[in-house]
Amino acid sequence: EDQVTQSPEALRLQEGESSSLNCSYTVSGLRGLFWYRQDPGKGPEFLFTLYSAGEEKEKERLKATLTKKESFLHITAPKPEDSATYLCAVQPGYALNFGKGTSLLVTP
Amino acid sequence: DAGVIQSPRHEVTEMGQEVTLRCKPISGHNSLFWYRQTMMRGLELLIYFNNNVPIDDSGMPEDRFSAKMPNASFSTLKIQPSEPRDSAVYFCASSLSTGEGYTFGSGTRLTVV
Protein backbone atom coordinates (compact mmCIF):
# COMPACT_ATOMS: atom_id res chain seq x y z
CA GLU A 1 0.00 0.00 0.00
CA ASP A 2 1.26 3.48 -0.87
CA GLN A 3 2.24 5.48 2.20
CA VAL A 4 3.48 8.99 2.84
CA THR A 5 4.86 9.95 6.26
CA GLN A 6 5.89 13.48 7.12
CA SER A 7 8.03 14.56 10.03
CA PRO A 8 8.05 16.38 12.28
CA GLU A 9 4.32 16.97 12.76
CA ALA A 10 5.05 20.47 14.01
CA LEU A 11 8.12 22.67 13.94
CA ARG A 12 8.80 26.02 15.58
CA LEU A 13 11.71 28.10 14.29
CA GLN A 14 13.14 31.47 15.07
CA GLU A 15 13.32 33.83 12.13
CA GLY A 16 16.55 33.07 10.26
CA GLU A 17 16.93 29.57 11.75
CA SER A 18 17.26 27.16 8.83
CA SER A 19 15.81 23.64 9.00
CA SER A 20 14.44 20.75 6.92
CA LEU A 21 11.12 18.94 6.68
CA ASN A 22 11.07 15.26 5.82
CA CYS A 23 8.72 13.22 3.63
CA SER A 24 9.23 9.46 3.57
CA TYR A 25 7.30 7.41 1.06
CA THR A 26 6.65 3.90 -0.12
CA VAL A 27 4.97 3.66 -3.48
CA SER A 28 4.87 1.30 -6.40
CA GLY A 29 5.90 3.28 -9.43
CA LEU A 30 6.39 6.92 -8.54
CA ARG A 31 5.20 9.32 -11.24
CA GLY A 32 6.00 12.38 -9.19
CA LEU A 33 6.45 13.80 -5.71
CA PHE A 34 4.73 17.07 -4.90
CA TRP A 35 5.11 19.71 -2.22
CA TYR A 36 2.24 22.03 -1.33
CA ARG A 37 1.86 24.85 1.14
CA GLN A 38 -1.44 25.31 2.97
CA ASP A 39 -2.39 28.44 4.90
CA PRO A 40 -5.25 28.36 7.45
CA GLY A 41 -8.64 28.49 5.79
CA LYS A 42 -7.22 28.03 2.30
CA GLY A 43 -6.62 25.24 -0.16
CA PRO A 44 -3.18 23.74 -0.72
CA GLU A 45 -0.96 25.83 -2.98
CA PHE A 46 1.42 24.06 -5.35
CA LEU A 47 5.16 24.54 -4.70
CA PHE A 48 7.24 21.87 -6.47
CA THR A 49 7.13 18.64 -8.44
CA LEU A 50 10.10 16.25 -8.38
CA TYR A 51 10.24 13.30 -10.75
CA SER A 52 13.49 11.42 -10.20
CA ALA A 53 16.05 10.74 -7.50
CA GLY A 54 18.70 13.41 -7.37
CA GLU A 55 16.43 16.13 -8.65
CA GLU A 56 16.35 19.47 -6.81
CA LYS A 57 14.14 22.53 -7.19
CA GLU A 58 14.31 25.94 -5.53
CA LYS A 59 11.94 28.80 -4.94
CA GLU A 60 12.99 31.75 -2.83
CA ARG A 61 13.93 30.33 0.60
CA LEU A 62 12.66 26.82 -0.20
CA LYS A 63 14.58 23.97 -1.77
CA ALA A 64 13.15 20.51 -2.39
CA THR A 65 15.24 17.39 -2.93
CA LEU A 66 14.35 13.80 -3.76
CA THR A 67 15.90 10.39 -3.12
CA LYS A 68 14.45 6.96 -3.82
CA LYS A 69 12.81 6.80 -0.39
CA GLU A 70 12.34 10.35 0.82
CA SER A 71 12.16 14.02 0.01
CA PHE A 72 13.33 17.00 2.00
CA LEU A 73 12.05 20.53 1.99
CA HIS A 74 14.87 22.77 3.14
CA ILE A 75 13.96 26.20 4.46
CA THR A 76 16.83 28.69 4.53
CA ALA A 77 16.66 31.74 6.80
CA PRO A 78 12.87 31.50 7.20
CA LYS A 79 10.65 34.50 7.78
CA PRO A 80 7.36 34.68 9.71
CA GLU A 81 5.45 34.66 6.41
CA ASP A 82 6.77 31.14 5.77
CA SER A 83 4.53 29.91 8.61
CA ALA A 84 2.09 27.39 7.14
CA THR A 85 1.43 23.68 6.85
CA TYR A 86 3.61 21.98 4.26
CA LEU A 87 2.14 18.93 2.57
CA CYS A 88 3.95 16.24 0.64
CA ALA A 89 2.16 14.01 -1.88
CA VAL A 90 3.11 11.14 -4.14
CA GLN A 91 1.52 10.28 -7.44
CA PRO A 92 1.64 6.58 -8.19
CA GLY A 93 -1.16 6.82 -10.72
CA TYR A 94 -3.64 9.57 -11.51
CA ALA A 95 -4.33 10.73 -7.95
CA LEU A 96 -2.16 12.37 -5.34
CA ASN A 97 -1.74 10.59 -1.98
CA PHE A 98 -0.99 13.15 0.69
CA GLY A 99 0.88 12.98 3.96
CA LYS A 100 -0.63 14.68 7.00
CA GLY A 101 1.73 17.62 6.76
CA THR A 102 4.21 19.54 8.89
CA SER A 103 2.90 22.62 10.64
CA LEU A 104 5.65 25.26 10.60
CA LEU A 105 5.66 28.31 12.83
CA VAL A 106 8.36 30.94 12.35
CA THR A 107 8.58 33.50 15.13
CA PRO A 108 10.21 36.94 14.84
CA ASP B 1 -7.67 33.16 -14.36
CA ALA B 2 -9.97 32.96 -11.32
CA GLY B 3 -8.69 29.56 -10.28
CA VAL B 4 -10.87 26.73 -8.99
CA ILE B 5 -14.06 28.17 -7.53
CA GLN B 6 -16.00 26.39 -4.80
CA SER B 7 -19.27 27.27 -3.18
CA PRO B 8 -20.42 27.72 -0.54
CA ARG B 9 -17.37 28.53 1.59
CA HIS B 10 -19.15 27.47 4.73
CA GLU B 11 -22.17 25.25 5.25
CA VAL B 12 -23.88 24.41 8.51
CA THR B 13 -26.70 21.91 8.32
CA GLU B 14 -28.69 19.63 10.52
CA MET B 15 -28.21 15.90 10.54
CA GLY B 16 -30.38 14.23 7.93
CA GLN B 17 -30.46 17.18 5.55
CA GLU B 18 -29.17 17.10 1.99
CA VAL B 19 -26.00 19.05 1.26
CA THR B 20 -24.71 20.04 -2.18
CA LEU B 21 -21.21 21.36 -2.72
CA ARG B 22 -20.27 23.01 -6.00
CA CYS B 23 -17.08 23.38 -7.99
CA LYS B 24 -16.02 25.23 -11.13
CA PRO B 25 -12.64 23.98 -12.38
CA ILE B 26 -10.08 26.00 -14.27
CA SER B 27 -11.08 26.39 -17.90
CA GLY B 28 -9.30 23.84 -20.08
CA HIS B 29 -8.44 21.45 -17.27
CA ASN B 30 -9.67 17.95 -18.07
CA SER B 31 -9.21 16.28 -14.68
CA LEU B 32 -11.23 17.07 -11.57
CA PHE B 33 -10.83 15.69 -8.07
CA TRP B 34 -12.86 15.93 -4.86
CA TYR B 35 -10.91 15.61 -1.61
CA ARG B 36 -11.96 15.68 2.04
CA GLN B 37 -9.67 17.01 4.76
CA THR B 38 -9.92 16.23 8.47
CA MET B 39 -7.44 16.55 11.30
CA MET B 40 -7.45 12.81 11.89
CA ARG B 41 -7.11 11.53 8.32
CA GLY B 42 -5.63 14.46 6.41
CA LEU B 43 -6.52 14.85 2.73
CA GLU B 44 -8.41 11.89 1.27
CA LEU B 45 -9.40 11.46 -2.37
CA LEU B 46 -13.12 10.92 -2.78
CA ILE B 47 -13.61 10.80 -6.55
CA TYR B 48 -11.76 11.54 -9.78
CA PHE B 49 -13.27 12.67 -13.09
CA ASN B 50 -11.48 12.74 -16.43
CA ASN B 51 -13.16 14.50 -19.34
CA ASN B 52 -16.37 14.68 -17.25
CA VAL B 53 -16.47 10.91 -16.72
CA PRO B 54 -16.08 9.42 -13.22
CA ILE B 55 -12.99 7.22 -13.32
CA ASP B 56 -12.53 6.23 -9.69
CA ASP B 57 -15.06 6.69 -6.92
CA SER B 58 -13.55 4.13 -4.56
CA GLY B 59 -12.87 6.87 -2.02
CA MET B 60 -16.53 7.82 -1.65
CA PRO B 61 -17.30 6.76 1.92
CA GLU B 62 -20.74 5.30 1.35
CA ASP B 63 -23.88 5.50 -0.75
CA ARG B 64 -24.90 8.73 0.95
CA PHE B 65 -22.24 10.45 -1.14
CA SER B 66 -22.65 11.10 -4.85
CA ALA B 67 -20.84 13.30 -7.38
CA LYS B 68 -21.65 14.52 -10.85
CA MET B 69 -19.92 16.43 -13.58
CA PRO B 70 -22.54 17.37 -16.18
CA ASN B 71 -20.08 19.46 -18.20
CA ALA B 72 -16.46 20.56 -18.26
CA SER B 73 -17.10 23.64 -16.16
CA PHE B 74 -19.17 22.33 -13.26
CA SER B 75 -19.20 19.54 -10.69
CA THR B 76 -21.26 18.80 -7.59
CA LEU B 77 -20.74 16.64 -4.53
CA LYS B 78 -23.94 15.71 -2.74
CA ILE B 79 -24.42 14.15 0.68
CA GLN B 80 -27.87 12.77 1.46
CA PRO B 81 -28.62 12.34 4.29
CA SER B 82 -25.82 14.16 6.06
CA GLU B 83 -24.35 12.95 9.38
CA PRO B 84 -22.15 14.69 11.99
CA ARG B 85 -19.17 12.53 10.97
CA ASP B 86 -19.31 14.12 7.52
CA SER B 87 -18.10 17.39 9.05
CA ALA B 88 -14.85 18.29 7.28
CA VAL B 89 -13.38 20.63 4.70
CA TYR B 90 -14.15 19.49 1.16
CA PHE B 91 -11.78 20.54 -1.60
CA CYS B 92 -12.15 20.45 -5.32
CA ALA B 93 -9.02 20.42 -7.49
CA SER B 94 -8.40 20.40 -11.22
CA SER B 95 -5.45 19.73 -13.47
CA LEU B 96 -4.57 19.91 -17.15
CA SER B 97 -3.39 16.33 -17.17
CA THR B 98 -2.91 13.62 -14.63
CA GLY B 99 0.85 14.00 -14.80
CA GLU B 100 0.93 17.45 -13.25
CA GLY B 101 0.15 19.06 -9.93
CA TYR B 102 -3.36 20.07 -9.10
CA THR B 103 -4.80 23.51 -8.47
CA PHE B 104 -7.05 23.45 -5.42
CA GLY B 105 -10.05 25.57 -4.62
CA SER B 106 -10.47 27.33 -1.29
CA GLY B 107 -12.67 24.55 0.05
CA THR B 108 -16.08 24.24 1.67
CA ARG B 109 -16.14 23.85 5.43
CA LEU B 110 -19.10 21.60 6.22
CA THR B 111 -20.48 21.33 9.73
CA VAL B 112 -23.29 18.86 10.38
CA VAL B 113 -24.99 19.33 13.75
Side-chain angles (χ1 to χ4, degrees):
Chain A
E1 182 179 328
D2 301 330
Q3 286 192 338
V4 181
T5 304
Q6 292 189 245
S7 62
E9 290 186 11
L11 181 62
R12 183 181 180 124
L13 299 173
Q14 291 272 8
E15 183 172 3
E17 180 186 2
S18 301
S19 187
S20 297
L21 313 182
N22 177 263
C23 172
S24 299
Y25 64 91
T26 55
V27 64
S28 52
L30 180 70
R31 294 183 61 187
L33 185 138
F34 299 77
W35 282 98
Y36 281 80
R37 168 190 171 130
Q38 187 173 23
D39 292 294
K42 296 188 177 181
E45 177 186 348
F46 172 75
L47 292 174
F48 304 108
T49 308
L50 302 167
Y51 293 103
S52 57
E55 188 175 0
E56 299 181 350
K57 288 192 177 175
E58 290 187 64
K59 180 181 181 180
E60 296 181 356
R61 295 176 293 282
L62 301 177
K63 178 180 175 181
T65 62
L66 180 65
T67 71
K68 289 187 177 180
K69 294 184 178 181
E70 57 190 352
S71 177
F72 291 94
L73 184 65
H74 307 278
I75 304 177
T76 302
K79 298 182 178 181
E81 53 261 42
D82 294 323
S83 298
T85 296
Y86 290 86
L87 298 165
C88 168
V90 296
Q91 186 181 31
Y94 50 79
L96 295 185
N97 297 337
F98 283 87
K100 292 187 177 181
T102 294
S103 177
L104 174 65
L105 176 64
V106 182
T107 58
Chain B
D1 191 340
V4 176
I5 300 172
Q6 293 187 245
S7 64
R9 287 299 314 275
H10 303 275
E11 177 80 37
V12 180
T13 190
E14 291 185 349
M15 182 173 61
Q17 296 298 306
E18 177 181 297
V19 176
T20 299
L21 312 182
R22 298 172 176 80
C23 174
K24 176 179 170 57
I26 290 175
S27 177
H29 281 191
N30 62 348
S31 295
L32 184 139
F33 307 83
W34 282 99
Y35 278 82
R36 178 171 67 177
Q37 187 175 41
T38 61
M39 289 292 292
M40 287 291 293
R41 301 175 68 92
L43 273 165
E44 301 175 285
L45 177 68
L46 298 177
I47 189 169
Y48 157 56
F49 290 88
N50 186 250
N51 292 322
N52 312 336
V53 176
I55 303 300
D56 183 359
D57 65 355
S58 61
M60 297 286 261
E62 45 197 278
D63 292 345
R64 298 184 296 105
F65 285 68
S66 63
K68 294 182 179 180
M69 192 165 185
N71 57 62
S73 60
F74 184 66
S75 177
T76 59
L77 178 67
K78 184 178 294 186
I79 307 173
Q80 166 64 22
S82 58
E83 297 183 3
R85 59 192 169 118
D86 301 331
S87 297
V89 182
Y90 291 81
F91 287 104
C92 176
S94 69
S95 70
L96 185 59
S97 71
T98 55
E100 301 171 5
Y102 308 168
T103 300
F104 280 82
S106 296
T108 295
R109 179 173 294 277
L110 173 65
T111 303
V112 183
V113 298

